[in-house]
Structure formats: C-alpha cells, structure tokens
C-alpha cells in the first residue's frame, strides 16, 4: 500500500443561500463545482488526462444538482474527457466521505490522482423543495412508514432541542457558543487565515462574482441572540405528514421522558449558504513524479451510526473510532473541526471528549460561516490543514453529524 497525500485544498467563499439575495445563487451548481476544479488545475498545473476520478459530494441531488455533478463539473472545468466522475450522498457528511473514498483508492494502489470535494447550492435546493411541497410531490425522511415505525426520524432542529434538554445545556450556553463562533470567524477573516484556500468565483466575462465570505455577522452579541425567537418551536408540534405524529411525538416515542423546549435559533444554527470545496489527493509516487510537495497525509478514516431518532449524536463515537484506528489519543490532536450544524452538537462534542476549547473550530464554524451541506466536509478538511500549517500543529481531526444518525471522521497529518 502507498500513502494518500493532500496536495492542495481550495474552496469558494460562501454566499447567502437565498435566490436573488446571495451572490452565487444565480449560478448553475456545476459552474460552482467547476470553479474549484479549475483552481486546482491552474494552481498545480494538473495534467487532467491523468486524473483517475473526481469524487463529489452533494446531498440534494435533484433539479440542477442532479445528473452526477462530479463528472459534469469536470467537463465544465475543461478537464480531459477521460476524467471520470461520481457523485455521492451521505447528507452533511458527503464531503468527508468523498475524501475518504479518494484516499482509499490511492492507498489501495488502484488509483494515483483523485480529486475529492462537494457542492451545495442551498438557495436553489430550498426553492426547488418548496415548489415540490406546494405540488404535493416531495417526500421526506419520514415517508417510509415501515422504517418510521422501527426508527422514528424527526426534524433535525427539534432533534437539536431534544439533545439540549437531555444534556442539560441551556440556551444561554448555546448562545455563548454562537457568539464565540462569530468572534473567531471575524478574527480569522481579518487575519487572512482563509486566504490560501479561498478562491474568487469569476464569471465568464472575467467579472468577480464573489471573493469574500458573505454570511458572517461579526457584530453578533449575547444581547442580540437573547432576543431571537426559537426557530424550531413551530416544527415541534407540526404533524410530520398528513395523519402522522408531530415531530415532538416522534422523538417521545423513543425518549418518552424528554421535555423538548425550543432553544435553537438562527444565531446558534448553521447558516444556509451556497458553496463548493475541493481537495487534490495523490499517491507518494505520483506526487514525487510531478515535483509536488504534499501538504498533509491521510492518517485514518471512519464511519459510524448512532440513534437515528436523535440524529445528531454520532460525531463523538466517530471521533473515538477514528482515533483508535490511528492509534492516537485526544491529546494528540492539535486542531479539531466539528461541524456546527447546531450549537448543541459542538458543545456536546467538546464536553463528552473533554477537549480544550481553543483547539476546537479555532477559526469559527458553520454558525458564522455557513454550511453548504455536500461541500462542508471538504471545506473543513482544508480549514484544518490551513490551521495546522499556520500554527505548526501535527494532527487534525474532522467530523460532522449527518442525517439518519451518522458521522464520518477523518484524521490528517501535516507534512
């Protein structure tokens, strides 16, 4: 077996995920994916005829996001037609999984040069879903009645509120986490910590469409968050379908003693945005042949499932599993990136593993920067790598919750 190295990491800025409001919302999703593929090609002088595969993450594969974005984006980025592509869905974990599969292909010796990444244009996804719901054509996590009887699956925001109740985490503690995410992101942006990996999105006429993060709210304070109305209160007692239990009742079927109180709102939940990210991975032999200096080595990857009813609790067991595979301990990790799907996910993660808060999401997270679902995993790997290089750290661990109670995890080592 050989090593799988990360040669480069790029990402777009994230724009507000609302049609007509976000700077990127008018683009075709394949164009956004092509932007990061072009950047990798140009930055590294890739001979695209030698790219074995493009493995892409995208959670909502319908509408403009359907049709194997990995392959189509490679063609749109003017890669050689021999460059194959595949698109996968592990919900929010898609970007990490794409990277893990790319690394596995290289480590096994089956391939030498693979690009992994992801795209999600939540502006278009939400618009398309809204039209389907209006037409009565949209399914949901709960559309399989037989599965719901075995494993009730609720609304993710209601799940976040349920976990906060179970763990005894208060709204004030969640809001303190949200304020800190914004503070850290503001410092990172001002210091240019994202500059190495962030590319400008350019139109066909060379006009710059977006060259900065659009979502952060650096003026956020505890006082402004305290005045926000809980976002998922309306969903808790909403039927999960015609004649079906409410989202609260679905959770109480499995956890009857949980008193779900609404505590999460937009200020402590991941931002709805559009974005893309990509990683260039190569074998040691191929990198040496090209004269590339690897930036990181893939140490270990892992996947795990947890309770689908609470949905969001798998990152802790995923982290423990990948640490065991790598033969490492919590103390060996210099940078942790745990996706801030909701503040309670990251807060529980820190508490359960007894982590040094300074090492967890040191440059803010999805609460401040946004969460383009299928892309976030690849973006976070690049973010962790940038931070390891900035601080001289050695190991980074990246993980995130995914729908249906899953979590992928990956450990990288700075070279």
């Amino acid at each position: 077996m050989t090593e799988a190295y990360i040669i480069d990491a790029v990402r777009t800025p994230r724009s507000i995920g609302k049609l007509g409001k976000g700077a990127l919302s008018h683009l075709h999703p394949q164009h956004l994916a092509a932007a990061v593929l072009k950047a990798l090609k140009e930055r590294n002088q890739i001979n695209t005829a030698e790219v074995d595969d493009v493995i892409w993450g995208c959670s909502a594969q319908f509408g403009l996001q359907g049709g194997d974005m990995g392959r189509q984006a490679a063609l749109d980025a003017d890669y050689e037609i021999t460059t194959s592509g595949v698109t996968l869905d592990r919900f929010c974990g898609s970007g990490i999984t794409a990277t893990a599969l790319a690394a596995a292909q290289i480590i096994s010796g089956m391939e030498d040069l693979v690009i992994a990444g992801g795209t999600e244009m939540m502006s278009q996804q939400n618009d398309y879903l809204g039209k389907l719901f209006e037409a009565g054509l949209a399914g949901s996590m709960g559309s399989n009645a037989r599965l719901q009887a075995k494993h009730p699956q609720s609304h993710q925001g209601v799940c976040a509120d349920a976990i906060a109740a179970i763990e005894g985490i208060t709204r004030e503690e969640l809001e303190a986490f949200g304020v800190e995410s914004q503070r850290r992101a503001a410092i990172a942006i001002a210091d240019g910590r994202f500059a190495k990996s962030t590319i400008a999105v350019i139109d066909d006429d060379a006009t710059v469409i977006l060259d900065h993060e659009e979502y952060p709210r650096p003026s956020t304070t505890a006082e402004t968050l305290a005045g926000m109305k809980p976002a998922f209160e309306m969903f808790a007692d909403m039927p999960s379908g015609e004649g079906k239990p409410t989202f609260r009742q679905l959770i109480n079927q499995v956890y009857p003693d949980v008193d779900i109180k609404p505590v999460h709102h937009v200020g402590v939940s991941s931002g709805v945005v559009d974005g893309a990210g990509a990683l260039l991975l190569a074998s040691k032999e191929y990198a040496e042949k090209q004269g590339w200096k690897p930036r990181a080595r893939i140490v270990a990857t892992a996947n795990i499932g947890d309770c689908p009813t609470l949905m969001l609790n798998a990152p802790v067991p995923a982290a423990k599993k990948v640490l065991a595979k790598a033969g490492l301990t919590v103390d060996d990790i210099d940078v942790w990136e745990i996706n801030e799907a909701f503040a309670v996910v990251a807060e529980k993660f820190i508490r359960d593993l007894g982590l040094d808060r300074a090492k967890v999401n040191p440059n803010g997270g999805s609460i401040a920067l946004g969460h383009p679902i299928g892309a976030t995993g690849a973006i976070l790997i690049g973010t962790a790598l940038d931070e390891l290089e900035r601080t001289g750290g050695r190991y980074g661990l990246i993980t995130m919750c995914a729908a249906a109670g899953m979590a992928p995890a990956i450990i990288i080592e700075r070279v």
Side-chain angles (χ1 to χ4, degrees), residues 153-174:
Q153 297 181 51
S154 186
H155 185 284
Q156 59 182 359
V158 182
C159 291
D161 287 341
I163 294 168
I166 292 170
E167 299 294 327
I169 300 173
T170 67
R171 171 170 170 160
E172 290 72 23
E173 289 170 326
L174 297 173

Side-chain angles (χ1 to χ4, degrees), residues 53-330:
D53 208 1
V54 173
I55 304 178
W56 216 248
C58 181
S59 183
Q61 293 180 39
F62 48 70
L64 296 180
Q65 295 198 155
D68 189 357
M69 199 184 306
R71 167 62 171 173
Q72 304 290 13
L75 293 173
D76 193 27
D78 298 320
Y79 279 43
E80 289 290 336
I81 61 171
T82 53
T83 303
S84 182
V86 64
T87 304
L88 58 85
D89 174 18
R90 198 193 293 276
F91 304 110
C92 297
S94 300
I96 292 179
T97 295
T99 307
L101 292 178
Q105 287 292 89
I106 292 170
I107 291 169
S108 70
M110 294 295 175
E111 293 176 343
D112 286 298
L113 182 63
V114 185
I115 295 174
T119 302
E120 205 81 41
M121 298 198 65
M122 298 184 73
S123 56
Q124 298 184 16
Q125 170 189 335
N126 291 340
D127 181 69
Y128 190 84
L129 273 177
K131 292 175 181 176
L132 286 181
F133 275 113
E134 289 173 6
L137 299 174
S140 69
M141 296 291 288
S143 61
N144 182 346
R146 184 175 67 186
L147 177 57
Q148 280 290 71
K150 297 176 183 178
H151 299 289
Q153 297 181 51
S154 186
H155 185 284
Q156 59 182 359
V158 182
C159 291
D161 287 341
I163 294 168
I166 292 170
E167 299 294 327
I169 300 173
T170 67
R171 171 170 170 160
E172 290 72 23
E173 289 170 326
L174 297 173
E175 289 176 344
F177 188 96
V179 170
E180 181 64 7
S181 180
Q182 295 282 359
R183 187 189 75 84
R184 293 185 181 191
I187 292 171
I189 291 169
D191 284 354
R193 297 181 191 176
F194 301 142
K196 183 173 184 177
S197 297
T198 304
I199 64 162
V201 181
I202 310 294
D203 213 342
D204 290 339
D205 62 2
T207 301
V208 175
I209 301 173
L210 185 66
D211 61 1
H212 64 279
E213 299 288 349
E214 202 173 48
Y215 189 79
R217 298 293 182 268
S219 61
T220 299
T221 65
E223 291 71 27
T224 58
L225 295 189
M228 289 188 171
K229 182 179 179 181
F232 307 109
E233 185 172 17
M234 62 179 287
F235 292 104
D237 296 309
M238 176 186 293
S240 55
E242 187 174 350
K244 295 181 179 180
T246 65
F247 290 113
R248 181 196 302 273
Q249 289 170 339
L250 287 171
I251 294 175
N252 286 147
Q253 286 176 15
V254 182
Y255 299 90
D257 298 327
V258 178
D259 182 13
I260 303 171
K261 298 186 184 302
V263 290
H264 283 83
H265 50 68
V266 66
V268 293
S269 304
S270 55
V272 176
V273 296
D274 298 334
L279 303 162
L280 176 63
L281 290 91
S283 66
K284 179 181 180 181
E285 294 75 16
Y286 189 89
E288 289 176 347
K289 185 175 69 174
Q290 299 302 313
W292 288 338
K293 182 180 179 181
R295 296 177 61 191
R297 177 179 72 94
I298 305 296
V299 178
T301 68
N303 299 289
I304 205 164
D306 198 82
C307 174
T309 299
L310 290 179
M311 193 184 298
L312 310 173
N313 279 342
V316 170
K320 291 179 178 179
K321 184 176 180 179
V322 79
L323 283 169
K325 282 190 171 188
L328 299 173
T329 70
V330 165

